[in-house]
């Protein structure tokens, strides 16, 4: 490569970079660390040659900051360059002849021209500039000038740390709050997220200030992994990218020999948690290490304030009393954790290290005091989250719960979950703490919430695997045999209420009887599962615990409880009762004028659309399609026919709905569109396809989801068979599937819709031609094909 490139062109730099990135033509693909090294060497060579050619020598120097300064240049990172000079008159010419070739070649460039005094001044007033100049690396020109600026910036950084530390800490925490955790995001920001590369750089900057030590070996390994993933993300995307998306993750995992995208996510999560924990500890340690001035320097050492047996507060942190010893006090680790969670004070790094070195494994069964401290910790709610994270990062949590290793950093398998499995368990326990007054055994609720997904990551049904693990843990903790059995049953059946309530008819006596029999008529277990369902949903992600889901589960639990204790089943909830009265009135109106009738009933966050239509083929799918067209998400549907006093057979629909966004539509518009569809004036399939194209454009992730499946369940509904469709969520899916079933002359009694992120489970109570609504096996294959065809129908591509 000729660095001058004719008249100073940087096209040769661009061509050489393209050769490094070329994965074809028989060239060996460079490993990510080798690629970064090659990119740094390439740019160093071109820049130093160019600087020499234009006369950057005495009293001028070209230095790199940012990624190039750190020797961490990813394929599409911008160049961050500073032209230093000590009063040279031709500095403008030097800058133009250096920057313009790079701009003309399309190279991303962040540049500045500074004297030593200006560099120190900008570093003192602009935190981002200070970070960059702390990473200054000489490229070309006068090395003494570069060294002079580097030393001056570092000296000013140390001297000014006391006055600007709050800005540093606040900036980091603001970034964490805005971007979120790398460890737990489905699509993490590898650079700016909590636990990302900027936090590694923060550790370096605090070390330059001599407030903390250089990052540990664990952080160095994490840094290398995050850099490698970011390098491959740039290479695959063909542009600068920091957010790791699912569609690139499989390829990156293959290149890094980490298995599939789930293995990659787990590795990234572990790395990010190591970095995040180190950054949080470093900020606390740095604050304590800040130099004191004036009278504050004469103050006595912080007082050790007693908090609990063997536990004190020291310098704003939870620490061990001088005579405390984990070898003599089996409950000490958990007491320290419980105190930290209650007070909101962090556990001192030295205390964690000392406990990690000296705390023995607790014998089975645990001492009663240890179980008491565990329950005290779990009962603090949100306060426990950071505390458990600290215990886990130092190996103490795994010592208490060896079963935790299988779920640590385990990524979720569906997009409804926003946390890794281990963090989800902690979040669920924190949510359960707010529900303990609803149950007679809050201790079992807290431990059950902590363990409900402990069976994941081991193969097989996680509820079945988790039951045996929960029994094992319960015995070790010291619970009695009956309580251990209850814990196992909680884990085994933690999905029973939410799945049944959202996929079956809660008012069907067969549904209620099946739940009561499954739980052996145990009201305590039912109450625990009711509260656990709420905690689990709240800890899954936003929008999972909806008002509709809450009402369904509460209604189901109430009916099952009544059956268990021998009381009559409750009547319909108020909104359902209102819908029944509205339906009766609408049937009479249809019988009078033969027209379409519709009402929208709303109460708090719940809404019901009731419609009565002269019965004819296709009316259910038409009504469902109109609701989808008006951005209403259907959670449940009930359908039956009645005969009006005039003799007209009327189809009556009741849809439980909520708006996808915005408010509820005008019911007059719903009715008008339903009339247009039934009269043939509105082509519903085309209208829904356009809406899907505009509001839910196709994506690579959606196209790569698992194919839909149809399952049949006999004896789970009175006078009907349950058909369950599992597939990808789409606008108007209920309309398409209902139309397919209507085309097969299947009588639809009810429908339930459960949305799980990008996936959905649509359940239909259907009646076939057999006795008691049975669908003959000979018909099922044909019906399955029709339903799968409707669910798999491709979208109109986004334009």
């Amino acid at each position: 490569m000729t660095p001058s490139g004719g008249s100073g062109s940087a096209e040769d730099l661009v061509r050489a970079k393209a050769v490094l990135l070329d994965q074809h033509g028989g060239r060996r693909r460079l490993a990510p660390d080798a690629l970064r090294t090659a990119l740094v060497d390439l740019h160093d060579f071109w820049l130093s040659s160019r600087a020499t050619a234009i006369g950057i020598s005495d009293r001028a120097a070209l230095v790199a900051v940012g990624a190039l300064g750190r020797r961490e240049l990813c394929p599409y990172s911008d160049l961050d360059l500073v032209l230093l000079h000590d009063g040279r008159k031709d500095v403008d010419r030097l800058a133009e002849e250096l920057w313009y070739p790079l701009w003309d070649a399309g190279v991303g460039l962040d540049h500045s021209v500074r004297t030593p005094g200006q560099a120190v001044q900008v570093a003192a007033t602009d935190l981002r500039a200070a970070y960059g100049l702390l990473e200054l690396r000489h490229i070309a020109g006068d090395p003494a000038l570069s060294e002079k600026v580097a030393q001056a910036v570092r000296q000013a950084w140390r001297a000014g740390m006391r006055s600007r530390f709050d800005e540093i800490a606040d900036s980091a925490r603001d970034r964490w709050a805005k971007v979120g955790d790398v460890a737990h995001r489905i699509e993490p920001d590898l650079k700016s997220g909590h636990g990302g590369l900027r936090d590694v750089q923060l550790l370096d900057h605090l070390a330059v200030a001599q407030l903390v030590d250089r990052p540990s070996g664990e952080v160095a390994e994490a840094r290398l992994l995050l850099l490698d993933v970011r390098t491959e993300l740039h290479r695959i995307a063909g542009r600068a990218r920091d957010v790791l998306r699912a569609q690139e993750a499989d390829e990156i995992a293959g290149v890094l020999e980490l298995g599939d995208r789930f293995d990659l996510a787990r590795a990234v999560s572990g790395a990010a948690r190591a970095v995040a924990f180190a950054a949080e500890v470093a900020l606390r340690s740095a604050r304590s290490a800040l130099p004191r001035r004036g009278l504050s320097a004469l103050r006595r050492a912080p007082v050790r304030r007693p908090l609990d047996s063997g536990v004190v507060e020291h310098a704003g942190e939870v620490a061990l009393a001088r005579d405390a010893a984990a070898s003599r006090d089996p409950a000490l680790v958990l007491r320290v954790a419980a105190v930290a969670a209650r007070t909101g004070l962090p556990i001192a790094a030295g205390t964690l290290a000392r406990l990690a070195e000296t705390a023995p494994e607790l014998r089975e069964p645990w001492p009663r005091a240890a179980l008491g401290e565990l329950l005290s910790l779990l009962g603090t709610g949100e306060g426990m989250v950071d505390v458990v994270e600290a215990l886990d990062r130092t190996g103490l949590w795994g010592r208490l719960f060896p079963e935790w290793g299988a779920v640590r950093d385990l990524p979720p398998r569906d997009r409804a979950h926003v946390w890794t499995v281990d963090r989800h368990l902690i979040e669920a326990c924190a949510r359960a703490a707010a529900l303990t007054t609803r149950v007679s055994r809050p201790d079992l609720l807290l431990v059950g919430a902590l363990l409900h997904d402990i069976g994941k990551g081991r193969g097989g049904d996680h509820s079945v695997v988790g039951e045996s693990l929960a029994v094992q843990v319960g015995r070790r903790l010291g619970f009695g045999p009956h309580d251990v059995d209850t814990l196992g049953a909680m884990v085994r059946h933690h999905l029973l209420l939410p799945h049944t309530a959202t996929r079956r008819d809660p008012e069907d006596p067969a549904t209620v009887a099946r739940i009561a029999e499954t739980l052996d008529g145990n009201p305590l277990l039912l109450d625990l599962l009711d509260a656990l369902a709420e905690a689990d949903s709240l800890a899954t992600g936003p929008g999972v615990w909806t008002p509709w889901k809450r009402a369904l589960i509460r209604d189901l639990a109430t009916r099952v409880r009544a059956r268990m204790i021998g009381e009559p089943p409750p009547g319909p909830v108020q909104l359902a009762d209102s819908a029944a009265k509205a339906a009766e009135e609408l049937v009479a109106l249809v019988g009078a004028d033969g027209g379409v009738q519709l009402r929208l009933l709303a109460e708090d966050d719940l809404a019901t659309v009731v419609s009565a239509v002269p019965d004819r083929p296709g009316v259910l799918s038409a009504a469902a399609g109109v609701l989808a067209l008006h951005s209403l998400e259907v959670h449940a549907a009930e359908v039956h026919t009645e005969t009006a006093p005039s003799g007209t057979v009327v189809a009556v629909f009741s849809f439980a709905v909520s708006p996808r966004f915005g408010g509820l539509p005008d019911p007059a518009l719903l009715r008008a569109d339903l009339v247009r569809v039934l009269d043939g004036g509105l082509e519903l399939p085309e209208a829904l396809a356009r809406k899907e194209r505009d509001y839910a454009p196709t994506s690579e992730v959606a196209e790569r989801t698992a194919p839909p499946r149809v399952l049949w369940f006999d004896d789970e509904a009175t006078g009907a068979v349950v058909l369950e469709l599992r597939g990808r969520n789409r606008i108007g899916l209920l309309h398409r599937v209902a139309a397919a079933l209507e085309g097969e002359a299947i009588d639809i009694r009810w429908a339930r819709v459960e949305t799980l992120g990008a996936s959905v489970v649509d359940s239909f109570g259907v009646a076939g031609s057999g006795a008691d609504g049975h669908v003959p096996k000979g018909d099922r294959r044909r019906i399955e094909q029709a339903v799968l065809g409707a669910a798999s129908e491709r979208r109109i591509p986004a334009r």
Side-chain angles (χ1 to χ4, degrees), residues 719-721 746 749 766-777 779-780:
V721 173
I746 290 294
R749 304 285 179 82
V766 299
S769 58
D772 199 24
H774 182 71
V775 178
K777 290 187 177 180
D779 296 340
R780 294 191 180 189

Side-chain angles (χ1 to χ4, degrees), residues 42-121:
L42 170 65
H43 287 82
D44 279 3
F45 175 71
W46 190 93
L47 289 167
S48 61
S49 300
R50 180 64 183 162
T52 300
I54 64 177
I56 296 178
S57 54
D58 294 340
R59 301 175 62 195
L62 177 64
V63 298
V65 297
L68 184 59
R70 295 188 302 272
R71 296 185 180 274
E72 294 178 353
L73 195 66
C74 291
Y76 295 95
S77 297
D78 285 349
L79 298 184
D80 292 325
L81 302 173
V82 181
L83 178 58
L84 299 173
H85 72 98
D86 193 6
R88 280 188 58 158
K89 302 299 183 184
D90 62 344
V91 67
D92 290 341
R93 175 190 66 81
L94 294 176
E96 289 181 4
E97 294 188 13
L98 186 59
W99 309 147
Y100 274 97
L102 295 169
W103 287 331
D104 292 342
V107 176
L109 180 64
D110 190 355
H111 63 89
S112 61
V113 179
R114 311 280 188 201
T115 64
Q118 289 170 340
V120 174
Q121 179 62 29

Side-chain angles (χ1 to χ4, degrees), residues 667-688:
L669 295 178
L670 292 175
R671 179 183 179 279
D673 279 348
L674 181 56
V675 170
R676 291 173 62 204
V677 170
L678 294 174
D679 290 346
L682 175 60
E683 292 294 333
L684 199 51
E686 287 77 5
L688 285 171

Side-chain angles (χ1 to χ4, degrees), residues 219-238:
V219 172
E221 292 178 6
R223 176 184 209 151
L224 182 59
L225 175 65
L226 294 172
L227 275 172
D228 286 351
V229 175
R230 186 170 182 244
T231 299
E232 290 304 322
L233 180 58
H234 277 217
R235 179 152 49 180
I236 290 169

Side-chain angles (χ1 to χ4, degrees), residues 127-128 131 157 160-178 192 194 198-199 202-203 205-206 211 276 279-288 290:
L127 190 59
R128 184 182 175 201
Y131 286 162
W157 176 252
M161 184 52 59
R162 177 179 173 80
S163 62
R164 66 191 316 181
F165 182 81
D166 286 343
E167 180 189 4
I168 293 169
D170 291 345
S171 174
R173 292 194 174 95
D174 288 346
R175 171 169 52 81
W176 297 344
K178 179 180 179 181
S192 299
H194 187 201
R198 281 192 175 176
D199 285 340
L202 174 63
L203 293 170
H205 301 150
L206 294 175
L211 296 176
E280 292 168 5
V281 171
L283 285 175
R284 295 201 305 269
S285 300
R287 186 179 294 280
S288 299
L290 286 174

Side-chain angles (χ1 to χ4, degrees), residues 620 639-640 737-739 741-742 746-751 764-767:
L620 174 60
V639 55
H640 66 276
V737 176
L741 292 172
E742 289 167 343
I746 290 294
D747 183 13
I748 303 173
R749 304 285 179 82
W750 52 261
F764 298 86
V766 299

Side-chain angles (χ1 to χ4, degrees), residues 476-509:
R476 188 167 71 246
L477 296 184
F479 283 106
H482 180 72
D483 290 345
V484 167
D485 290 343
T486 301
L487 276 176
M490 286 179 68
V491 174
R492 174 66 178 268
H493 301 302
H494 71 274
L495 295 174
L496 180 64
L497 291 181
H499 279 190
T500 303
T502 56
R503 302 179 185 183
R504 300 295 183 266
D505 181 4
E507 296 185 11
D508 190 332

